[in-house]
Amino acid sequence: MIKHFLNLEWKAFFRSASFGKSLGVKLLMGFFAIYFMVVFLGIGIMLYPGLKKLYPEQDPLIIVNNFLFFWILGDLLFRFFFQKLPVMSVKPLLTLPIGRNKIVNYVLGKSALSFFNFLPLFAIVPFSIMLLVNDYPLGAVLAWVLALVLTTLIINYLNFIIESFSSETELSFLPIILITGGLFAIDYFELLSFKNLIGSAFNAIYQSPLLIGILVLILVALFVLNSKLLHKKLFLDSGLKTQVKEVNASNLEWTKNFGDIAPFMQLDLRLIWRNKRTKSSVWMLALGLLYGLFFYPNPTYNNMPFFFIFIGIFSTGIFLINFGQFVPAWDSGYYKLLMSQNIKYEQYLKSKFTLMALSVVILFVLGIPYVYFGWKILLAHFAAAIYNIGINTHVILWGGAFNRKKIDLSQKAAFNYQGTGAVQWLIGIPLLVLPMIIFALLNWLLSFEIACLVLIVMGVVGIVFHQKLMRFITGKYLESKYKMIDAFNQDN
C-alpha cells in the first residue's frame, strides 16, 4: 500500500498544472538545503576543537548538553513556522477499501523522513566522530547520538500536535510563541533552570544508556496522540461546518462611489473579513504601519538613507504585497463560476487595483508621524507610496496571471504557504529589490532628493499609463484563463 501511495503522489506532482513552478521552487529550496547541510557539517567538525580551545578545563560534551535546551526551543519554533504535516489527497481514498490506519501511518511515517529531521545529523555525526577519536566510549557515544535522534523525532511530532490545537485560534502563532518564550523566560530569570535539567538528562543517558527507553516511550505516546488527532479528521464530511454563526455584514454603501467596479470591491471586502486566511492581510496592516519603529529609533540607520525606501515600500505596501500576490487565487474556490458570468475581466482586476491603491494611500497618511524622525523619512515614504501605486500594483497584478495555486480560505492564516509558488518568490525582485537598488545607486551618485524624485516620476508614469497597462494585464489573464480554471480545479 505504501508503494501505491508513493506512486499516486509521484503522478500528482508531475501531472499538476503547477508542475513547472513547483519544480522551480523545489530547486531553489534544494539550494538552501545544500547550504544548510554544509553549514551544519562545518559546525559539527569545528565544535569539539573550538570548545576545547575556548574552555580547556571543561568537557566539550557536557557543554553541548547544557545548550541542548536552546536547540530544542529553536528547532520547535522553526518547525512550527516552516514544517507542515505531509499532505496527500485522502478523500478519494476514503471511498475505497483502504484502512484509515494505513493512511494515517503513511502520513506520520512520511513526516519522520522530513529534511528537518536529517539536518541535525550533519552536525551530530561529525561531533560524535570527534568524540570517538578522543577516546570516548563507543557505546555511550552511540546512546547519546540515538538520544538526539529520538529527541528530533519527538520535536517533529510535538510540533504537529501544537499546530493542530493552535490552528483553531485566530492568531495561531501565539501558542508557540507563548510556550517557547515562557520556557526561555523561566530559564533566563532562573526560576527553573531548564538548561541544566536537559543537560543533566542527556549526561545521565550518556552514563546509563538504558535511560534512553524514556525517550522511546515519549515518542510512542506522541505518535499515538498524532494518530488519534488525524483519525478524527479522516471523514468525507470533516470539512462541513458544525456550527452556524450569524454574520454581521455591512452593506458597504460607500463602495458605490467607485461605479461599475463596486460589486467586485464589495465581494473582495467581504471575502477578506469573513475568512481566516484573508484576515491576515488586515492584521498585517498594523505590522506594516509600525515596521519603521524597529529601525528609525536606532541611530545606526540614520547613516543608511537608502534603507528608508525599503521600509517605505514595505510600510505603505504591506496590504498590496499580502493581498496582491495571491490574485486571483483568493477566488480559486469559485473561479469557474466567476468566469462563467457575463462580466468584464478588466473591471474585476480594476477592483483589486483600487483596493491596493487605497490601502497605500491610507497607510502613507497614517505613517506621516514618522516625520518625527526626520523629513527625509517622510519624503522617502511619499516616494515609496507613489512607486507602489504606479509600479508595484501593476507588477503584482501582472504576476497574478501566472498563478496556478489554489487557496483554501478556511485554513489558518499565519505562516500558511498554501498557494505559494515560484511567482510569489520571484515577484519580490521588482517589488522590493529593484526600487531599493535604483534608490541606493542614485543616492550614492547624485543625492537623496534626486533618488526620491526618480522613484516619484516612475510612479507617476505608471499612473498616467494605467489604462494601457491594465489592458495589457487583462490580455495576459484572458490568455491564461482556462489554464487557471484547470489549475484551480486541482488540490495542489
Side-chain angles (χ1 to χ4, degrees):
M1 188 55 66
I2 291 175
K3 182 189 74 173
H4 288 301
F5 286 156
L6 291 172
N7 187 38
L8 287 172
E9 292 203 67
W10 181 265
K11 290 178 179 178
F13 174 70
F14 283 100
R15 293 176 179 178
S16 170
S18 61
F19 166 67
K21 296 175 178 59
S22 297
L23 184 63
V25 172
K26 283 177 170 56
L27 290 173
L28 180 64
M29 298 307 293
F31 169 78
F32 285 115
I34 294 172
Y35 169 78
F36 282 112
M37 285 189 290
V38 172
V39 169
F40 274 65
L41 188 63
I43 292 172
I45 294 172
M46 299 302 298
L47 191 57
Y48 186 91
L51 291 175
K52 201 66 180 174
K53 184 177 180 180
L54 290 172
Y55 308 101
E57 303 299 324
Q58 299 183 41
D59 187 346
L61 180 60
I62 294 177
I63 297 173
V64 170
N65 286 342
N66 286 337
F67 280 92
L68 287 178
F69 169 67
F70 302 108
W71 165 65
I72 291 171
L73 285 187
D75 193 16
L76 188 61
L77 193 64
F78 187 81
R79 284 172 185 268
F80 182 85
F81 291 138
F82 294 101
Q83 183 190 17
K84 303 300 174 187
L85 188 67
V87 176
M88 60 183 298
S89 183
V90 296
K91 284 195 175 182
L93 302 177
L94 296 179
T95 60
L96 301 175
I98 301 174
R100 285 184 172 83
N101 283 333
K102 290 183 179 179
I103 299 174
V104 169
N105 291 336
Y106 171 76
V107 171
L108 292 177
K110 185 181 175 183
S111 74
L113 301 176
S114 168
F115 172 74
F116 293 93
N117 296 331
F118 285 98
L119 185 60
L121 291 175
F122 286 91
I124 294 169
V125 172
F127 181 73
S128 62
I129 292 173
M130 294 297 294
L131 293 176
L132 294 174
V133 169
N134 287 275
D135 299 325
Y136 285 72
L138 176 62
V141 171
L142 290 178
W144 180 79
V145 171
L146 181 58
L148 287 179
V149 172
L150 290 173
T151 303
T152 302
L153 292 174
I154 287 171
I155 296 171
N156 177 70
Y157 292 117
L158 181 61
N159 168 51
F160 297 139
I161 293 172
I162 295 173
E163 188 176 322
S164 176
F165 286 107
S166 63
S167 63
E168 303 300 323
T169 61
E170 189 63 48
L171 298 175
S172 56
F173 59 88
L174 281 183
I176 189 65
I177 296 295
L178 292 175
I179 292 171
T180 55
L183 291 174
F184 179 81
I186 291 171
D187 182 84
Y188 181 80
F189 293 107
E190 299 181 350
L191 299 176
L192 178 62
S193 182
F194 288 109
K195 179 175 68 175
N196 293 334
L197 190 63
I198 298 294
S200 299
F202 277 90
N203 289 333
I205 291 174
Y206 176 78
Q207 298 293 335
S208 305
L210 290 177
L211 292 174
I212 207 168
I214 298 173
L215 293 178
V216 174
L217 292 175
I218 295 173
L219 179 61
V220 171
L222 291 175
F223 186 92
V224 172
L225 183 54
N226 268 289
S227 180
K228 289 182 178 179
L229 291 173
L230 285 180
H231 265 283
K232 292 179 180 178
K233 299 179 180 180
L234 275 184
F235 294 97
L236 287 172
D237 59 350
S238 61
L240 298 179
K241 299 289 184 182
T242 56
Q243 291 182 338
V244 178
K245 292 184 179 180
E246 182 179 350
V247 177
N248 294 321
S250 169
N251 57 13
L252 302 173
E253 288 289 334
W254 59 271
T255 58
K256 293 182 179 180
N257 296 323
F258 293 94
D260 55 1
I261 66 171
F264 301 105
M265 290 185 65
Q266 292 175 8
L267 286 174
D268 282 332
L269 290 170
R270 287 176 178 139
L271 178 143
I272 289 170
W273 195 246
R274 291 179 180 179
N275 296 281
K276 284 185 180 180
R277 182 72 185 270
T278 45
K279 275 187 182 179
S280 65
S281 300
V282 179
W283 300 121
M284 288 293 283
L285 291 177
L287 175 63
L289 188 61
L290 302 175
Y291 188 66
L293 295 179
F294 293 101
F295 300 97
Y296 293 144
N298 191 338
T300 305
Y301 294 97
N302 292 338
N303 299 322
M304 301 170 61
F306 64 89
F307 200 67
F308 295 170
I309 203 67
F310 172 81
I311 300 173
I313 286 177
F314 188 84
S315 180
T316 62
I318 185 68
F319 178 83
L320 180 152
I321 295 169
N322 277 278
F323 178 77
Q325 66 177 326
F326 295 114
V327 172
W330 295 124
D331 305 312
S332 56
Y334 52 89
Y335 194 74
K336 287 189 291 186
L337 172 65
L338 197 63
M339 291 299 100
S340 67
Q341 305 301 306
N342 185 24
I343 61 173
K344 291 184 178 180
Y345 212 127
E346 190 170 353
Q347 292 177 345
Y348 168 78
L349 293 176
K350 276 186 177 181
S351 70
K352 313 286 187 186
F353 171 87
T354 304
L355 277 179
M356 291 188 288
L358 281 174
S359 72
V360 172
V361 173
I362 292 170
L363 287 170
F364 168 72
V365 172
L366 293 176
I368 288 178
Y370 277 123
V371 73
Y372 171 80
F373 298 102
W375 68 269
K376 283 189 174 183
I377 291 175
L378 182 62
L379 180 59
H381 278 220
F382 178 72
I386 300 298
Y387 184 89
N388 274 332
I389 295 173
I391 303 296
N392 281 347
T393 47
H394 296 106
V395 169
I396 210 162
L397 282 177
W398 173 78
F402 303 93
N403 202 323
R404 302 288 185 272
K405 293 277 189 174
K406 185 178 181 179
I407 289 180
D408 184 357
L409 296 174
S410 64
Q411 296 297 315
K412 70 172 187 176
F415 296 92
N416 186 341
Y417 300 101
Q418 184 193 44
T420 303
V423 173
Q424 281 71 35
W425 293 95
L426 295 175
I427 205 72
I429 296 174
L431 284 180
L432 296 170
V433 179
L434 183 61
M436 193 172 177
I437 292 174
I438 294 173
F439 187 88
L441 188 62
L442 291 173
N443 179 62
W444 178 58
L445 293 175
L446 299 172
S447 68
F448 179 87
E449 292 78 7
I450 296 296
C452 288
L453 180 62
V454 169
L455 288 185
I456 291 172
V457 170
M458 291 176 67
V460 169
V461 170
I463 295 171
V464 170
F465 290 97
H466 168 69
Q467 297 296 337
K468 290 186 177 180
L469 289 172
M470 288 302 296
R471 283 195 290 270
F472 170 77
I473 293 169
T474 302
K476 288 293 181 183
Y477 275 83
L478 290 174
E479 286 177 12
S480 57
K481 174 180 175 180
Y482 296 102
K483 292 180 182 177
M484 283 192 281
I485 290 174
D486 179 48
F488 292 155
N489 200 37
Q490 301 179 21
D491 293 321
N492 45 22

Coordinates of all heavy atoms in Angstrom, one line a residue, residues 25 38 103 122-123 145-146 157 163 165 168 194 268 278-279 289 317 319 334 370 396 409 430 432 454 463 466 471 481:
V25 N 10.5 26.1 -7.5 CA 10.6 26.3 -6.0 C 11.4 25.2 -5.4 O 12.2 25.5 -4.5 CB 9.2 26.4 -5.4 CG1 9.3 26.5 -3.9 CG2 8.5 27.6 -5.9
V38 N 25.9 22.1 4.5 CA 27.3 22.5 4.6 C 27.6 23.2 5.9 O 28.6 23.0 6.6 CB 27.7 23.3 3.4 CG1 29.1 23.9 3.5 CG2 27.6 22.5 2.1
I103 N -3.5 4.9 6.1 CA -3.3 6.3 5.6 C -2.6 7.1 6.6 O -1.7 7.9 6.4 CB -4.7 6.9 5.2 CG1 -5.4 6.1 4.1 CG2 -4.5 8.3 4.8 CD1 -6.8 6.5 3.8
F122 N 23.9 16.2 10.4 CA 25.1 16.7 9.7 C 26.0 17.4 10.7 O 27.2 17.6 10.5 CB 24.7 17.7 8.6 CG 24.2 17.1 7.4 CD1 22.9 16.8 7.2 CD2 25.1 16.6 6.4 CE1 22.4 16.2 6.1 CE2 24.6 16.0 5.2 CZ 23.2 15.8 5.1
A123 N 25.5 17.8 11.9 CA 26.3 18.3 13.0 C 26.6 17.3 14.0 O 27.7 17.2 14.6 CB 25.7 19.5 13.6
V145 N 24.0 9.7 20.6 CA 23.6 10.1 19.3 C 22.1 9.6 19.1 O 21.3 10.3 18.6 CB 24.5 9.4 18.2 CG1 23.9 9.6 16.8 CG2 25.9 10.0 18.3
L146 N 21.8 8.4 19.5 CA 20.4 7.9 19.4 C 19.5 8.7 20.2 O 18.3 8.9 19.7 CB 20.4 6.4 19.9 CG 19.0 5.7 19.8 CD1 18.5 5.7 18.3 CD2 19.1 4.3 20.3
Y157 N 6.9 15.4 16.1 CA 5.5 15.0 16.4 C 4.9 16.0 17.3 O 3.7 16.3 17.3 CB 5.4 13.6 16.9 CG 5.8 12.6 15.8 CD1 6.9 11.7 15.9 CD2 5.0 12.5 14.6 CE1 7.2 10.8 14.9 CE2 5.3 11.6 13.6 CZ 6.4 10.7 13.8 OH 6.7 9.8 12.8
E163 N 0.5 22.5 16.5 CA -0.1 23.2 15.3 C -1.5 22.8 15.2 O -2.4 23.6 14.8 CB 0.7 22.7 14.1 CG 0.3 23.5 12.8 CD 1.1 23.1 11.6 OE1 2.3 22.9 11.8 OE2 0.6 23.0 10.5
F165 N -3.7 22.1 17.6 CA -4.6 22.8 18.6 C -4.6 24.3 18.3 O -5.6 25.0 18.5 CB -4.1 22.5 20.0 CG -4.4 21.1 20.4 CD1 -3.5 20.1 20.6 CD2 -5.8 20.8 20.8 CE1 -3.8 18.9 21.0 CE2 -6.1 19.5 21.2 CZ -5.1 18.5 21.3
E168 N -6.9 26.4 15.5 CA -8.3 26.9 15.7 C -8.4 28.3 16.2 O -9.4 28.9 16.2 CB -9.0 26.0 16.7 CG -9.0 24.5 16.3 CD -9.7 24.3 15.0 OE1 -10.7 24.9 14.8 OE2 -9.3 23.4 14.3
F194 N 16.0 25.1 33.1 CA 15.7 24.0 32.1 C 17.0 23.6 31.4 O 17.2 22.5 30.9 CB 14.7 24.5 31.0 CG 13.3 24.6 31.6 CD1 12.7 25.8 31.8 CD2 12.6 23.4 31.8 CE1 11.4 25.8 32.3 CE2 11.3 23.4 32.3 CZ 10.7 24.7 32.6
D268 N -14.8 41.5 -2.6 CA -13.4 41.3 -2.1 C -13.4 41.7 -0.6 O -12.7 41.0 0.2 CB -12.4 42.3 -2.8 CG -12.0 41.7 -4.2 OD1 -12.0 40.5 -4.3 OD2 -11.8 42.5 -5.1
T278 N -7.6 35.3 4.7 CA -7.6 36.7 4.2 C -7.5 37.7 5.3 O -7.0 38.8 5.1 CB -8.8 37.0 3.3 OG1 -10.0 36.5 3.9 CG2 -8.6 36.3 1.9
K279 N -8.0 37.3 6.5 CA -7.9 38.3 7.6 C -6.5 38.6 8.0 O -6.3 39.7 8.5 CB -8.6 37.6 8.9 CG -10.1 37.9 8.9 CD -10.7 37.4 10.2 CE -12.2 37.5 10.2 NZ -12.8 37.1 11.5
L289 N 2.5 49.2 9.4 CA 2.4 50.6 9.9 C 3.5 50.9 10.9 O 4.1 51.9 11.0 CB 1.0 50.9 10.4 CG 0.7 52.4 10.8 CD1 0.9 53.3 9.5 CD2 -0.6 52.5 11.4
G317 N 3.1 49.4 1.5 CA 2.6 48.4 0.6 C 2.4 47.1 1.2 O 2.3 46.1 0.5
F319 N -0.3 45.7 2.6 CA -1.5 45.1 2.1 C -1.4 44.7 0.7 O -1.8 43.6 0.2 CB -2.7 46.0 2.3 CG -4.0 45.5 1.8 CD1 -4.8 44.6 2.6 CD2 -4.5 45.8 0.5 CE1 -6.0 44.1 2.1 CE2 -5.7 45.3 0.0 CZ -6.4 44.5 0.8
Y334 N -14.2 29.5 -6.3 CA -15.4 29.7 -7.2 C -15.0 30.4 -8.5 O -15.8 31.1 -9.1 CB -16.5 30.5 -6.5 CG -16.0 31.8 -5.9 CD1 -16.0 33.0 -6.6 CD2 -15.5 31.9 -4.6 CE1 -15.5 34.2 -6.1 CE2 -15.0 33.1 -4.0 CZ -15.0 34.2 -4.8 OH -14.6 35.4 -4.3
Y370 N 5.9 59.6 11.2 CA 7.3 59.2 11.1 C 8.2 60.4 10.8 O 9.5 60.3 10.9 CB 7.5 58.2 10.0 CG 7.3 56.8 10.5 CD1 6.3 56.0 9.8 CD2 7.9 56.2 11.5 CE1 6.0 54.7 10.2 CE2 7.7 54.9 12.0 CZ 6.7 54.1 11.3 OH 6.5 52.9 11.7
I396 N 2.3 43.4 -9.6 CA 1.8 42.3 -8.8 C 0.5 41.8 -9.5 O 0.3 40.5 -9.4 CB 1.5 42.8 -7.4 CG1 1.7 41.6 -6.4 CG2 0.1 43.4 -7.2 CD1 1.8 41.9 -5.0
L409 N -9.5 29.1 1.8 CA -9.7 30.3 2.6 C -10.0 30.0 4.1 O -9.8 30.8 5.0 CB -10.8 31.2 2.1 CG -10.5 31.8 0.7 CD1 -11.8 32.5 0.2 CD2 -9.4 32.7 0.7
P430 N 11.1 42.7 -8.4 CA 10.7 44.1 -8.8 C 9.9 44.8 -7.8 O 9.9 46.1 -7.8 CB 9.7 43.8 -10.0 CG 9.3 42.4 -9.8 CD 10.4 41.7 -9.1
L432 N 10.5 44.9 -4.3 CA 11.3 45.4 -3.2 C 12.8 45.7 -3.6 O 13.3 46.7 -3.3 CB 11.3 44.5 -2.0 CG 9.9 44.3 -1.3 CD1 10.0 43.1 -0.3 CD2 9.5 45.6 -0.6
V454 N 13.2 60.5 -8.7 CA 13.2 59.5 -9.8 C 12.1 58.4 -9.5 O 11.3 58.1 -10.4 CB 14.6 58.8 -10.0 CG1 14.5 57.6 -10.9 CG2 15.6 59.8 -10.5
I463 N 1.0 55.7 -13.2 CA -0.3 56.1 -13.0 C -0.9 56.7 -14.3 O -2.1 56.5 -14.7 CB -0.4 57.2 -11.9 CG1 0.0 56.5 -10.6 CG2 -1.8 57.8 -11.8 CD1 0.2 57.5 -9.5
H466 N -1.9 54.0 -16.8 CA -2.7 53.0 -16.0 C -3.6 52.2 -17.0 O -3.7 51.0 -16.9 CB -3.5 53.6 -14.9 CG -4.5 52.7 -14.3 ND1 -4.1 51.6 -13.5 CD2 -5.8 52.8 -14.3 CE1 -5.2 51.0 -13.1 NE2 -6.3 51.7 -13.6
R471 N -5.0 47.2 -19.7 CA -5.5 46.4 -20.9 C -4.5 45.3 -21.2 O -4.9 44.2 -21.6 CB -5.6 47.4 -22.1 CG -6.9 48.2 -22.1 CD -7.2 48.8 -23.4 NE -6.3 49.9 -23.7 CZ -6.5 51.2 -23.4 NH1 -7.6 51.5 -22.7 NH2 -5.6 52.1 -23.8
K481 N -6.7 32.2 -18.9 CA -7.9 32.0 -18.2 C -8.2 30.5 -18.0 O -8.5 30.0 -16.9 CB -9.1 32.6 -19.0 CG -10.5 32.4 -18.5 CD -11.5 33.1 -19.4 CE -12.9 32.8 -19.0 NZ -13.9 33.5 -19.8

